Amino acid sequence: MKLDILAIAVHPDDVELGCSGTLMVHAQQGLKVGIVDLTRGELGTRGTPELRLQEAQQAARIMGVEVRENLGLADGFFRNDTKEQMAIITAVRKYRPEIVLANAMDDRHPDHGRAGKLIEDSCFLAGLRKIATSVDGVEQEAWRPKQVYHFLQDRYHEPDFVIDITPVMEKKLEAIKAFSSQFLAAKDNEPQTYISGSNFFESVIYRAKMLGKMVGVEYAEGYTSAKMIGVRSMMDLINVTT
Ligand SMILES: [Zn+2]
């Protein structure tokens, strides 16, 4: 199945927090969007890997993505090395996305920055024909996404551009709440974490509100890009700011 936009992130729930609004906005425009999670988030303080997988599938239904796959790499201990790169190269060649959305290049959780670089490197390598990969015995063709953009996570970075997610903000919050073991979970017996309280959940809302305000819409998600961004027409730049 060919996708237009593929979000790749290290922990199930990174996509919901960072770029689910963007995925839903483009799905509503008729584009095909999907998700690849690198790990099952098995080192998370709360919940279990099995529960986290169920929550991820529930969130995928809410977002209406075409596909959500988990590569089963090692949470916390994955490296930017051959094994991990080959797993991502295979996924990129399988879904042939035009654009990849990836973890931030630098963040509070060290997995995020490491994954951001791993995903960016793997997307480049996926375009090299002499790296051989196959699925079910069928050799894959080389494929390099045209762009890789990194969504903002916990730490603030000045975004290179933002996407208006106002029409889907409610659904974004619903998709995040699908991870009920992780968020807004103050009333159970498991240990509380940096992300489990209402303060963190509210920070997702005010971040989106702040980014939205800067371009004259209600809510937005922000991205950084290693490459310079160009547009064909100046008119493409006035869509949300007028
Ligand atoms: Zn994460």
Side-chain angles (χ1 to χ4, degrees):
M1 177 202 302
K2 175 166 169 37
L3 297 176
D4 296 297
I5 303 176
L6 174 63
I8 308 178
V10 59
H11 307 121
D13 76 15
D14 287 349
V15 163
E16 282 75 3
L17 292 166
C19 65
S20 56
T22 301
L23 291 182
M24 288 187 277
V25 161
H26 289 88
Q28 286 184 358
Q29 291 172 10
L31 298 180
K32 291 205 179 321
V33 303
I35 299 169
V36 166
D37 298 306
L38 300 186
T39 78
R40 297 177 302 154
E42 62 268 25
L43 297 186
T45 305
R46 300 171 54 87
T48 62
E50 295 72 27
L51 180 57
R52 201 98 177 251
L53 274 180
Q54 285 173 23
E55 292 172 343
Q57 287 308 329
Q58 169 65 12
R61 281 191 287 277
I62 293 167
M63 291 183 283
V65 296
E66 303 280 334
V67 64
R68 182 169 207 162
E69 182 178 335
N70 194 300
L71 298 187
L73 300 179
D75 190 10
F77 293 100
F78 70 92
R79 291 281 162 256
N80 188 353
D81 213 332
T82 312
K83 176 183 159 218
E84 292 85 353
Q85 290 164 354
M86 289 302 275
I88 299 173
I89 290 167
T90 304
V92 166
R93 289 176 174 179
K94 183 171 164 188
Y95 296 115
R96 293 175 288 143
E98 303 297 324
I99 294 174
V100 163
L101 306 179
N103 286 102
M105 292 294 271
D106 167 62
D107 204 38
R108 171 182 171 271
H109 196 312
D111 279 2
H112 294 167
R114 220 161 65 250
K117 180 81 170 84
L118 165 63
I119 296 161
E120 180 132 0
D121 289 353
S122 302
C123 285
F124 181 86
L125 293 172
L128 298 181
R129 296 175 58 183
K130 290 192 174 165
I131 298 176
T133 54
S134 60
V135 175
D136 299 330
V138 180
E139 206 173 299
Q140 291 183 303
E141 281 185 31
W143 180 270
R144 183 173 295 149
K146 293 184 181 62
Q147 302 289 355
V148 179
Y149 296 131
H150 300 273
F151 48 82
L152 300 196
Q153 297 198 255
D154 190 65
R155 231 169 245 170
Y156 183 75
H157 301 278
E158 191 68 18
D160 293 315
F161 67 95
V162 302
I163 298 286
D164 178 11
I165 61 160
T166 308
V168 297
M169 185 62 189
E170 283 303 316
K171 273 185 117 179
K172 172 179 170 124
L173 297 179
E174 215 184 301
I176 295 169
K177 284 180 190 164
F179 289 87
S180 55
S181 69
Q182 305 298 311
F183 305 111
L184 292 178
K187 295 185 192 70
D188 62 22
N189 295 325
E190 287 203 82
Q192 292 307 312
T193 67
Y194 182 76
I195 61 171
S196 65
S198 60
N199 190 29
F200 179 82
F201 190 80
E202 282 161 25
S203 76
V204 175
I205 301 170
Y206 60 67
R207 167 71 63 78
K209 231 179 159 72
M210 183 198 85
L211 294 173
K213 181 178 176 294
M214 292 167 85
V215 295
V217 302
E218 201 168 352
Y219 298 106
E221 286 171 341
Y223 294 86
T224 64
S225 171
K227 277 204 276 186
M228 177 77 74
I229 295 165
V231 292
R232 284 194 197 286
S233 163
M234 294 288 276
M235 303 312 278
D236 288 342
L237 294 169
I238 64 167
N239 288 339
V240 300
T241 49
T242 51

